[in-house]
Amino acid sequence: MSDSVVVGLDVGGTSTRAAALSLNGVRLGTGRAGGGNPTSHGAERAAAELLAALRAALADIDPTRVRSGVIGLAGAGRLLADPQGRAAFDRAWSDAGLRCPYAVHGDALVAYASGTAAPDGTVLIAGTGAIAAQVRDLRLDRTADGHGWLLGDAGSGFWLGREAVRRLLSDLDRADPPSELARRVLAELTGSTEVADRPRATAESVVQAVTRRPPVELARLAPLVVAAAREGEATAQALIREAATLLADSVTRIRPAGVTDPVVLGGGLLTGDTPLAAAVRAELAHRWPDAPLHTAGDGAAAAAWLAARDLPEVTEPAALHALLVPPAA
């Protein structure tokens, strides 16, 4: 059994991580490459990054030892429905010397598995975007939000950035002195904290600065909100409270009241020591007081565990999870 190897990949828009692990818990290799999401980068480029990460992880391993693999990525359904995209991934898998099968799962499932081995539960992810998903028998069952910046992603990094700009524009419309958060946003967008004698002129400069950039770049303002909230700035703290409520509301759409299965928190805004993570934890604990809360961890290792649990020699998946998936720091 210890001679068998499983491979997991956690594929994101900015990086691709791979891990090769033995079934006795030894990490045999890791790899990292650029963004490998076919939706944002195209199938051929995504497959090239996938191959680079695989080759790095398998550098000291005979690929014939690999028994199974899992690729976790956002938009897994789109890849599976695209023959050309799937063919590109198949070629990358083969070019890495792998002859075993692999499965493709959504990144929400991989994030969930990185936090717990429980077959049923919920995962809430907040980064640039936001989504909640219900897991049943380690399969995604229902999801809430994740509708993108234009129609959803309530409580996400994009939402925080957009709402911070809106608060700034409201201050300028009223000709009120901008709040401390608004001043920081103004400086980030225009390079100055000065408000023109005619505040409308400054508001127009803010709007122009935002509309010249891709809309999703508003998420880059989220760290300003987080930092200001940590310092006790009132507007930022109000935004954090509202975001936490919106994220918990997304969970409420798919998670029944009173259940005690675990909730896993993922995404940069919820896995770090941020005011939003603390506020979301408090909100979820209030709504589901008996449910354990976990933090998402190593997605590549979790993907490898998902690959391993379907092997016939794996009889205790939960015990294997404790070996393969390190707890979140």
Side-chain angles (χ1 to χ4, degrees):
M1 176 171 166
S2 61
D3 190 54
S4 297
V5 177
V6 286
V7 169
L9 292 107
D10 185 14
V11 180
T14 58
S15 67
T16 299
R17 294 178 173 86
L21 300 104
S22 70
L23 295 187
N24 57 7
V26 177
R27 186 175 291 252
L28 302 173
T30 59
R32 182 169 182 170
N37 190 294
T39 301
S40 53
H41 299 297
E44 293 298 332
R45 177 183 166 189
E49 300 294 349
L50 182 84
L51 177 58
L54 278 172
R55 282 177 169 162
L58 298 171
D60 299 319
I61 303 169
D62 179 355
T64 63
R65 292 177 57 194
V66 180
R67 296 278 309 284
S68 183
V70 160
I71 300 171
L73 80 164
R78 289 190 293 273
L79 174 66
L80 294 173
D82 175 15
Q84 291 184 333
R86 186 58 188 263
F89 272 50
D90 287 346
R91 286 193 299 273
W93 196 258
S94 177
D95 289 348
L98 297 171
R99 300 295 178 262
C100 64
Y102 72 92
V104 179
H105 294 304
D107 59 341
L109 179 64
V110 170
Y112 176 82
S114 74
T116 181
D120 302 331
T122 307
V123 59
L124 173 63
I125 300 173
T128 298
I131 188 171
Q134 195 74 355
V135 174
R136 289 283 176 263
D137 194 24
L138 285 171
R139 295 289 186 272
L140 291 182
D141 182 21
R142 299 174 58 201
T143 59
D145 208 344
H147 300 311
W149 64 267
L150 182 61
L151 298 175
D153 289 352
S156 67
F158 171 85
W159 184 92
L160 285 172
R162 184 191 62 192
E163 293 306 308
V165 175
R166 285 180 168 176
R167 299 306 192 274
L168 165 60
L169 292 173
S170 293
D171 288 345
L172 294 171
D173 285 346
R174 291 191 297 265
D176 288 342
S179 68
E180 177 57 30
L181 173 62
R183 286 170 54 83
R184 297 181 189 184
V185 171
L186 181 60
E188 179 68 23
L189 293 175
T190 69
S192 172
T193 61
E194 296 298 319
V195 176
D197 292 338
R198 189 174 68 91
R200 185 67 180 184
T202 301
E204 290 169 353
S205 296
V206 168
V207 171
Q208 290 171 8
V210 170
T211 55
R212 279 196 301 263
R213 306 175 184 180
V216 73
E217 287 197 12
L218 281 170
R220 295 184 178 182
L221 299 174
L224 298 181
V225 181
V226 171
R230 186 176 282 118
E231 296 166 11
E233 202 274 344
T235 302
Q237 289 186 326
L239 287 178
I240 291 295
R241 289 193 296 271
E242 187 175 351
T245 299
L246 290 169
L247 289 167
D249 287 346
S250 293
V251 175
T252 301
R253 295 178 208 163
I254 57 172
R255 182 179 172 90
V259 298
T260 59
D261 51 26
V263 179
V264 175
L265 302 180
L269 286 171
L270 300 184
T271 55
D273 181 18
T274 70
L276 182 58
V280 166
R281 283 180 171 274
E283 190 69 33
L284 295 177
H286 174 72
R287 300 189 192 199
W288 293 278
D290 298 319
L293 297 176
H294 300 295
T295 302
D298 187 335
W305 174 71
L306 288 171
R309 64 184 299 275
D310 290 329
L311 296 177
E313 61 263 46
V314 176
T315 57
E316 298 183 14
L320 184 62
H321 186 278
L323 287 175
L324 297 186
V325 186

